[in-house]
Amino acid sequence: SQDDRQRLSPRPKVSVEKYLQPFQLSPETLQEVSARLRKDLLRGLGKHSHHKAPVKMLPTFVRATPDGTEKGDFLALDLGGTNFRVLHVRVEEEAQKVQICAIPQEMMLGTGEQLFDHIATCLGDFLESHNLKGQTLPLGFTFSFPCEQLEIDKSILIRWTKGFNCSGVEGKDVVQLLKEAIHRRGDYHIGSVAMVNDTVGTMMSCGYKDQSCEIGMIIGTGTNACYMEEIKNVKRIEGKDGRMCINTEWGGFGDDGCLDDILTEFDVEVDKTSINPGVHIFEKMISGMYLGEIVRLVLVKMTKDKLLFKGQISEALGTPGRFETKFISEIEDGLENAKKILTELGLDWDLVDASVVRLVCDTISSRSAYLCAAALATLVNRIRNNRKLGHLKTTVGVDGTVYRKHPTSKLQKAVRLLAPQCDITFLVSEDGSGTGAAMVTAVAQSSACVTASRGKTRIKAAFVSTNARR
Ligand code: BGC
């Protein structure tokens, strides 16, 4: 009853602390994490160390950020976050038409052919409903998985991450698979295609508004970042001058065991029961696909040890995946939310339970923010060192539900601590990575027809090219 609930049955503070302490990372530990990542960035960039490097540091063929004057009319696809989206983007008008299509879970685990047929159908329906079927528009394809990019329109999937695991796609050119699916339908055409990672799309769309944006960061279903690196440091690419955007794939940090000392038993369990055990260890400590499950496992353990809910695990709490990541921010928002969610999960809670649960949520989401801060600090410090600057002022374009829904003050404060000579502005992407993908497409298109139709090209800045110099 309500009376029971109000009655406080105090929990020994030390017991609660025992569960939370492994998640609390000191500034020194974060500094150490940042130092380890610094080494891994170098391994990823190296010609001979790359193939074994857990942080892949993938070249993107994007050689400059926008200057804000870009124009054009494009289609964009965005696959890999919470939703699959089809967009029609007019860059100069900031106009967008967007359609969200669900990707059913069985399709995320089905065959590649089914997935790409579904994508081609969604695009076809979109073109139909917006009267665009007769046009041949260039297409920006945001594909948010690690890919070895061979050209702007040739990109080999290294591995699926997050909830996807479609057969017959790893090792294949994803642009080709998309084109084949469109060809199978045969009822519409698309123009040139440019493939980008969502981090790159985010950096480009934020860069359109703020020209000092040189980093794109995602903390959503998955986590990752890209940044502008000096080409002379990218040993797998020929050329010495200028910069190229590198997709770090920092989610893979720790895949060689270098973070084992900070993993908790709950992280190990989440990894073990995921669809891709052993890979994307850093991502599994940070991103939305996993945070809820970490909290659930901690709560289950505390309940088994009779610290919560009078020792009774409800069916919902005992079910993997039932504690959604969105509950974390809702619970952190207020005690009333916490009570409501605990009731919905069928738990017999009292007020102390509710506040302990809030503490657990706060501890796990804070760790996520601090780890991201350590990784981001590594990138800004690297950019500053690359340019031999005493002080760096830069902007980070950010997107992702986890970033949007959680207080960002912890992340920002920790980055300031870990990168004291860098002054960072955080710019949340308003339109996802669609516009950014479209912008990359624009230039891919302009470089493809550079001799044939330069006059017709509506894009000013050639910030993408497939040859060494800009
Ligand atoms: C993928 C990245 C992507 C990130 C954020 C990760 O799982 O490997 O390519 O940028 O999620 O969506």
Side-chain angles (χ1 to χ4, degrees):
S1 74
Q2 196 60 26
D3 283 352
D4 276 347
R5 297 213 153 144
Q6 300 303 341
R7 206 179 319 127
L8 298 181
S9 39
R11 284 343 99 94
K13 194 162 175 265
V14 313
S15 319
V16 174
E17 272 302 301
K18 187 181 87 187
Y19 296 87
L20 300 186
Q21 194 265 333
F23 291 100
Q24 288 154 349
L25 304 175
S26 67
E28 293 71 35
T29 307
L30 293 176
Q31 222 135 29
E32 173 61 27
V33 169
S34 173
R36 289 180 197 168
L37 180 60
R38 187 172 66 228
K39 287 197 192 125
D40 273 1
L41 299 188
L42 282 178
R43 284 167 72 194
L45 288 171
K47 198 167 190 163
H48 304 296
S49 48
H50 168 83
H51 72 286
K52 278 196 180 151
V55 180
K56 284 285 164 221
M57 305 296 279
L58 303 165
T60 65
F61 294 94
V62 171
R63 291 171 190 266
T65 50
D67 68 6
T69 63
E70 293 76 12
K71 295 189 170 80
D73 200 359
F74 312 97
L75 295 171
L77 299 178
D78 185 353
L79 179 77
T82 332
N83 294 307
F84 168 59
R85 305 186 313 146
V86 187
L87 304 95
H88 179 213
V89 184
R90 281 222 172 92
V91 177
E92 68 275 37
E93 293 169 16
E94 290 197 20
Q96 287 200 6
K97 293 183 187 117
V98 188
Q99 185 173 305
I100 293 177
C101 297
I103 307 254
Q105 230 225 317
E106 57 281 9
M107 199 168 276
M108 290 162 73
L109 303 172
T111 67
E113 192 165 310
Q114 281 164 342
L115 176 72
F116 283 95
D117 280 343
H118 181 63
I119 293 174
T121 303
C122 295
L123 178 56
D125 293 348
F126 178 85
L127 295 174
E128 181 84 58
S129 62
H130 292 95
N131 268 331
L132 293 166
K133 238 181 176 168
Q135 297 186 36
T136 303
L137 292 170
L139 179 128
F141 187 10
T142 306
F143 185 74
S144 312
F145 301 94
C147 288
E148 187 69 68
Q149 191 122 13
L150 302 179
E151 284 163 38
I152 198 71
D153 62 349
K154 192 161 191 200
S155 204
I156 313 290
L157 176 65
I158 297 174
R159 70 158 76 107
W160 288 110
T161 59
K162 301 173 276 195
F164 283 79
N165 200 5
C166 300
S167 58
V169 188
E170 287 178 351
K172 298 258 174 66
D173 173 10
V174 182
V175 176
Q176 189 59 29
L177 295 178
L178 174 70
K179 284 183 177 164
E180 282 168 12
I182 293 174
H183 191 73
R184 275 196 290 278
R185 293 175 52 96
D187 60 339
Y188 64 85
H189 298 282
I190 50 165
S192 55
V193 178
M195 262 252 335
V196 299
N197 186 261
D198 51 352
T199 54
V200 183
T202 301
M203 179 187 80
M204 297 300 267
S205 74
C206 289
Y208 185 68
K209 302 203 175 89
D210 174 347
Q211 273 86 66
S212 46
C213 180
E214 293 186 279
I215 298 181
M217 176 171 80
I218 305 282
I219 319 176
T221 312
T223 184
N224 189 15
C226 69
Y227 72 105
M228 296 305 290
E229 175 61 86
E230 309 302 312
I231 289 193
K232 65 176 187 312
N233 296 334
V234 190
K235 306 291 185 206
R236 294 194 303 142
I237 292 276
E238 280 178 25
K240 289 204 164 43
D241 302 328
R243 297 184 180 138
M244 182 177 282
C245 177
I246 295 295
N247 166 16
T248 66
E249 289 293 336
W250 75 22
F253 182 33
D255 289 6
D256 60 350
C258 85
L259 295 175
D260 285 2
D261 56 339
I262 63 163
L263 294 182
T264 67
E265 60 183 286
F266 309 102
D267 298 308
V268 173
E269 179 72 17
V270 162
D271 176 47
K272 235 191 329 194
T273 53
S274 67
I275 60 170
N276 54 353
V279 295
H280 270 221
I281 297 297
F282 192 57
E283 171 159 284
K284 287 171 182 163
M285 301 166 88
I286 291 174
S287 76
M289 177 96 199
Y290 310 98
L291 285 188
E293 185 62 6
I294 302 178
V295 170
R296 189 188 73 83
L297 291 173
V298 175
L299 298 183
V300 166
K301 179 97 192 283
M302 287 174 116
T303 311
K304 277 190 185 148
D305 293 350
K306 309 249 167 350
L307 266 165
L308 286 175
F309 316 126
K310 306 178 184 70
Q312 298 293 315
I313 299 170
S314 66
E315 199 195 323
L317 187 66
T319 309
R322 273 299 305 276
F323 193 98
E324 295 175 42
T325 295
K326 70 171 192 220
F327 295 166
I328 299 180
S329 52
E330 289 169 7
I331 287 175
E332 284 183 271
D333 270 352
L335 196 60
E336 288 312 309
N337 287 350
K339 293 175 182 174
K340 197 170 141 255
I341 289 168
L342 296 180
T343 306
E344 277 167 15
L345 289 172
L347 292 159
D348 182 6
W349 54 268
D350 67 18
L351 270 184
V352 176
D353 290 324
S355 35
V356 171
V357 171
R358 290 189 75 198
L359 200 61
V360 173
C361 288
D362 177 65
T363 306
I364 286 160
S365 73
S366 300
R367 182 185 67 157
S368 155
Y370 290 140
L371 286 172
C372 273
L376 182 59
T378 314
L379 293 191
V380 288
N381 280 328
R382 180 165 175 89
I383 295 178
R384 189 180 67 79
N385 284 329
N386 276 345
R387 299 181 194 173
K388 302 189 173 52
L389 295 171
H391 186 265
L392 173 78
K393 190 168 161 38
T394 192
T395 297
V396 181
V398 208
D399 205 351
T401 38
V402 174
Y403 184 87
R404 286 168 188 274
K405 293 266 164 64
H406 288 91
T408 52
S409 55
K410 286 185 180 151
L411 189 153
Q412 298 183 0
K413 215 168 122 194
V415 183
R416 275 199 293 277
L417 193 79
L418 296 165
Q421 290 123 308
C422 301
D423 176 4
I424 305 170
T425 304
F426 290 83
L427 184 61
V428 178
S429 158
E430 275 160 33
D431 44 14
S433 38
T435 316
M439 283 181 187
V440 178
T441 318
V443 184
Q445 173 201 33
S446 67
S447 57
C449 32
V450 87
T451 43
S453 61
R454 185 187 284 266
K456 279 194 217 141
T457 306
R458 296 166 67 198
I459 311 304
K460 189 173 165 257
F463 42 62
V464 179
S465 66
T466 42
N467 40 29
R469 260 159 238 260
R470 178 168 118 85

